[in-house]
Amino acid sequence: MEPRELLEAARSASRSAYAPYSNFHVGAVIQLENGAVYVGCNIENASYGLSMCAERNAVAAMVTGAEERKIQSVAVASPDAAPCMPCGACRQVLREFGCKEVLVEDESGSRSFGFDEILPHSFGPETL
Ligand code: THU
């Protein structure tokens, strides 16, 4: 899928968000190197600390469904913020599976970040 299509799918996923506490809705779409896509939205909980971000829910779907777990890109969208950048915890989890690019919405439509730009000098599986 093209960047705009991935962001459109992320925007669509954000409509499924369960976010009654923050009222901040996020959707994420992961595209693998083989082209497969996996979707997630944020899911909050009355026990606030159990809330989970859209990106990590998309990673959970990917781990459950994919044999080749090589992430090419992640698209993140929210009707409540543009751009909606992945939080630090999600960056580290995406890094685990080799994510190379982050797509977010901005005034011009979309913006792409190389993963090294948003998580430089990172720690990853090959270090162990
Ligand atoms: N959130 C995400 O889903 N992804 C991010 O990268 C940033 C934050 C969610 C978590 C919480 O449900 C809400 O946005 C407010 O922090």
Side-chain angles (χ1 to χ4, degrees), residues 6 9-11 13-14 26-30 38-41 54-56 58 74-77:
L6 289 167
R11 210 174 304 128
S14 75
V26 186
V29 175
I30 285 170
Y38 295 91
V39 174
C41 62
E55 298 90 322
R56 276 178 284 162
V74 63
V76 185

Side-chain angles (χ1 to χ4, degrees), residues 85-86 91 95 99-104 111-122:
M85 298 297 295
R91 293 177 196 201
R95 163 69 172 87
C99 186
K100 294 175 179 56
E101 185 184 19
V102 177
L103 300 163
V104 292
R111 180 159 178 199
S112 163
F113 292 89
F115 211 79
D116 280 350
E117 278 184 87
I118 67 153
L119 194 67
H121 311 291
S122 61

Side-chain angles (χ1 to χ4, degrees), residues 22 24 26 42 44 51-55 84-87 90:
S22 71
F24 190 85
V26 186
N42 55 327
E44 298 185 346
S51 298
M52 187 53 69
C53 291
E55 298 90 322
C84 180
M85 298 297 295
C87 79
C90 289

Side-chain angles (χ1 to χ4, degrees), residues 51-68:
S51 298
M52 187 53 69
C53 291
E55 298 90 322
R56 276 178 284 162
N57 281 329
V59 168
M62 183 273 292
V63 169
T64 307
E67 282 176 26
E68 280 274 304

